[in-house]
Amino acid sequence: MRIHVSFIDRVGITQEVLALLGGRNLNLDAVEMVPPNVYIDAPTLSAAVLEELRDALFKVQGVQAVTVVDILPGQRRRLQLDALLAAMADPVLAVDGAGRVLLANPALLALSGDEPEGQSLAQLFDDAALQQALLDQGFRLPMREVTLKGQALLLDAMPIAEAAPQGGRHLAGGLLTLYRPNRIGERLAALHHDHAEGFDALLGESTPIRTLKARAQRVATLDAPLLIGGETGTGKELVARACHALSMRRNAPFLALNCAALPENLAESELFGYAPGAFTGAQRGGKPGLLELANQGTVFLDEIGEMSPYLQAKLLRFLSDGSFRRVGGDREVKVNVRILSATHRDLEKMVEDGTFREDLFYRLNVLNLEVPPLRERGQDILLLARHFMIQACAQIQRKPCRLAPGTYPALLGNRWPGNVRQLQNVIFRAAAICESNVVDIDDLDIAGTSVARGQDGEVASLEQAVGDFERELLQRLYASYPSTRQLAGRLQTSHTAIAQRLRKYGIPGKA
């Protein structure tokens, strides 16, 4: 039975209470003193003895209440702590100021295989330098790689301080958390998760984009390498992320590497990681690469056509058996990762020219998608422009603005060599510089919007410029929309207006 005795705090009262218990030869499993309260766990205390004890306790000056409780406060805190530690998926251990293990959670026990309590960190990790570094730095170390029972883990340390008798606080020890590399990968992926989920990120209702979505949804669920082609700025990474979100790996990390953004040696260490002491300036203890961080997930290799021949060979070997060696390492690392890659280059032509490995091309091109350029997406241009305008206004914290209808022909008629990325930049600049809440044609920085110019490069007249622009736009679009109704729908105007303009400019095939 467990009881709670509350009293008025005075010198000696707790000893008097405990003396009454001791005089009855009760076995005490636990006594917790939290003045003006004492909590007692006495398993042999019966109801009859409790009644007699209660009478005796009330005769002690200052005792106010005697009640039965289901659990002592300290026991409750211990159960809560055990439940909290058990719920933590990552191995955790608490150590004292000398580096000895005080407490470990079940995940750590499962990993180590035995009870580490009482061991030093040097014994647990077989690394005296690690323990000394933690003690020297007061348990404030950058995350570093350690090895426990042959498994590479990332260690994160946090100091624990407690109140000192003379005032202030002093270091009491540290809390150490161990992460498998892919757990860090999940956090990295979450940090970059600032986009719509899955295919909702691919805005558009045009035929080319609907065709892409339909095919992408089929290949997304197939656990095989995928090669995504398309011009620069078309949104190949969005397609890759959407495919990952629909795959069986969607709950694991998605990490990306731009092969054109880094020199060969940095790209290699980013992708494959490096071993301890691999090169001058390397992080002590080594560092896992994206392949380890994304284990069970997806790695996206953008601009794969820019990858060096050496890295092509190393990637080919990984695709063959799922294993690799870190830079400067001799240990084989095996992970389960799906590779998605993208390029704006013609890899088949590069294979013919000998600048891209044929065997790697076929390994990467098991499944493939082609992202259409913006100029082929019709009304999606206006849909995207409006979407980017809302985004831009929110980002620069200005009142919402809209595109004037007069901007539509220029937006629809532009070739957009930089595709969706270029459109987004144009809209952002327009939102930033436009003083009105209506963005007009003069606010759009679109190269080549003026098409009617004289021999000296100057515009002959406004009427001629507008007419030449209309003629060029209708001639170019009529091949894809060969009827007045289709063309009117494409340009969001009446078919009568389109028919009149086709006749005016003598475009073949007019209604």
Side-chain angles (χ1 to χ4, degrees):
M1 187 176 295
R2 302 176 182 90
I3 61 172
H4 167 211
V5 181
S6 60
F7 50 81
I8 297 172
D9 196 12
R10 65 172 175 81
V11 176
I13 191 170
T14 54
Q15 286 85 352
E16 293 177 37
V17 170
L18 294 176
L20 288 174
L21 293 168
R24 286 160 178 77
N25 295 320
L26 294 173
N27 292 328
L28 304 183
D29 276 8
V31 176
E32 295 181 15
M33 302 298 304
V34 189
N37 301 278
V38 60
Y39 297 88
I40 302 156
D41 185 356
T44 58
L45 178 61
S46 65
V49 174
L50 174 60
E51 286 303 314
E52 185 272 327
L53 177 61
R54 181 182 279 115
D55 293 337
L57 286 170
F58 277 122
K59 292 177 182 177
V60 176
Q61 181 184 356
V63 171
Q64 295 181 311
V66 180
T67 56
V68 176
V69 294
D70 59 344
I71 191 170
L72 273 57
Q75 294 172 335
R76 177 179 283 108
R77 284 193 296 272
R78 178 67 192 214
L79 287 174
Q80 291 170 339
L81 176 61
D82 288 346
L84 177 63
L85 291 173
M88 299 179 71
D90 300 306
V92 175
L93 62 155
V95 297
D96 64 18
R100 292 196 172 275
V101 177
L102 299 174
L103 181 68
N105 73 336
L108 191 285
L109 297 177
L111 188 64
S112 66
D114 53 24
E115 174 58 67
E117 186 175 341
Q119 291 186 45
S120 68
L121 292 175
Q123 293 172 310
L124 181 63
F125 294 104
D126 192 23
D127 187 347
L130 169 65
Q131 175 170 317
Q132 194 59 49
L134 285 165
L135 297 179
D136 290 346
Q137 299 298 321
F139 295 95
R140 291 181 176 88
L141 279 183
M143 187 174 288
R144 63 187 291 174
E145 189 171 61
V146 297
T147 302
L148 180 60
K149 299 296 182 180
Q151 182 168 340
L153 300 159
L154 296 170
L155 181 146
D156 186 32
M158 183 178 70
I160 299 174
E162 65 181 8
Q166 65 275 22
R169 300 180 71 80
H170 75 280
L171 184 68
L175 185 70
L176 310 182
T177 306
L178 302 173
Y179 299 101
R180 292 177 176 82
N182 65 338
R183 291 281 288 163
I184 300 298
E186 290 172 4
R187 297 185 178 192
L188 288 173
L191 283 174
H192 294 93
H193 189 81
D194 56 356
H195 47 80
E197 185 68 36
F199 289 97
D200 291 339
L202 300 175
L203 300 179
E205 295 298 331
S206 63
T207 299
I209 205 70
R210 285 202 303 267
T211 301
L212 170 66
K213 286 183 180 181
R215 177 171 170 78
Q217 286 173 334
R218 289 195 297 271
V219 304
T221 57
L222 304 176
D223 200 37
L226 168 65
L227 178 63
I228 304 170
E231 296 178 9
T232 299
T234 50
K236 297 186 289 294
E237 183 170 343
L238 276 180
V239 174
R241 288 183 179 276
C243 289
H244 169 76
L246 202 64
S247 73
M248 65 181 69
R249 299 175 183 267
R250 57 186 169 275
N251 295 322
F254 175 99
L255 299 177
L257 176 70
N258 189 319
C259 301
L262 298 172
E264 178 186 275
N265 60 331
L266 288 181
E268 182 184 16
S269 62
E270 281 295 304
L271 185 58
F272 297 100
Y274 55 79
F279 50 86
T280 303
Q283 181 175 303
R284 182 165 184 163
K287 177 185 174 184
L290 294 184
L291 291 175
E292 288 177 77
L293 293 173
N295 191 21
Q296 304 300 324
T298 301
V299 168
F300 173 60
L301 301 177
D302 200 5
E303 299 298 350
I304 191 74
E306 311 304 319
M307 183 173 276
S308 71
Y310 167 71
L311 284 184
Q312 289 181 36
K314 193 164 182 177
L315 178 61
L316 176 65
R317 189 200 166 215
F318 169 72
L319 288 170
S320 300
D321 61 10
S323 63
F324 62 93
R325 292 184 183 181
R326 291 186 181 182
V327 176
D330 54 9
R331 182 175 64 90
E332 289 289 318
V333 180
K334 194 171 184 67
V335 295
N336 180 358
V337 169
R338 184 187 187 189
I339 297 293
L340 308 185
S341 54
T343 183
H344 72 281
R345 303 183 66 178
D346 186 344
L347 290 189
E348 291 187 81
K349 179 69 165 54
M350 292 180 67
V351 169
E352 292 176 6
D353 296 341
T355 56
F356 198 85
R357 293 183 64 116
E358 182 178 19
D359 43 8
L360 178 58
F361 171 70
Y362 289 117
R363 284 281 186 181
L364 296 171
N365 195 33
V366 177
L367 304 169
N368 58 72
L369 293 171
E370 188 72 21
V371 185
L374 183 58
R375 61 183 171 274
E376 295 179 3
R377 293 178 55 181
Q379 294 177 356
D380 286 353
I381 296 173
L382 298 182
L383 183 153
L384 288 166
R386 297 186 188 104
H387 172 74
F388 292 144
M389 184 63 71
I390 294 170
Q391 269 191 346
C393 291
Q395 186 174 342
I396 61 179
Q397 297 182 339
R398 65 160 294 171
K399 291 183 178 179
C401 49
R402 60 182 176 84
L403 292 162
T407 63
Y408 297 170
L411 290 169
L412 292 169
N414 196 61
R415 296 292 293 169
W416 299 112
N419 292 290
V420 177
R421 188 180 298 127
Q422 181 189 4
L423 173 63
Q424 186 173 19
N425 291 341
V426 165
I427 297 299
F428 184 89
R429 284 195 296 271
I433 65 174
C434 181
E435 296 180 359
S436 168
N437 64 346
V438 177
V439 174
D440 217 328
I441 186 67
D442 292 337
D443 301 311
L444 295 179
D445 181 16
I446 303 179
T449 52
S450 297
V451 295
R453 297 182 181 272
Q455 294 293 328
D456 58 358
E458 295 298 321
V459 174
S461 69
L462 177 61
E463 289 77 17
Q464 183 183 343
V466 172
D468 287 351
F469 178 83
E470 280 189 342
R471 181 187 299 107
E472 180 186 351
L473 177 64
L474 293 171
Q475 284 175 336
R476 179 156 46 81
L477 292 180
Y478 194 82
S480 300
Y481 303 89
S483 78
T484 56
R485 291 192 181 277
Q486 289 179 14
L487 195 51
R490 167 67 173 77
L491 295 176
Q492 292 189 330
T493 187
S494 70
H495 73 279
T496 303
I498 291 296
Q500 290 173 346
R501 284 170 171 76
L502 292 177
R503 285 193 295 270
K504 174 182 176 181
Y505 299 120
I507 295 177
K510 59 185 178 295

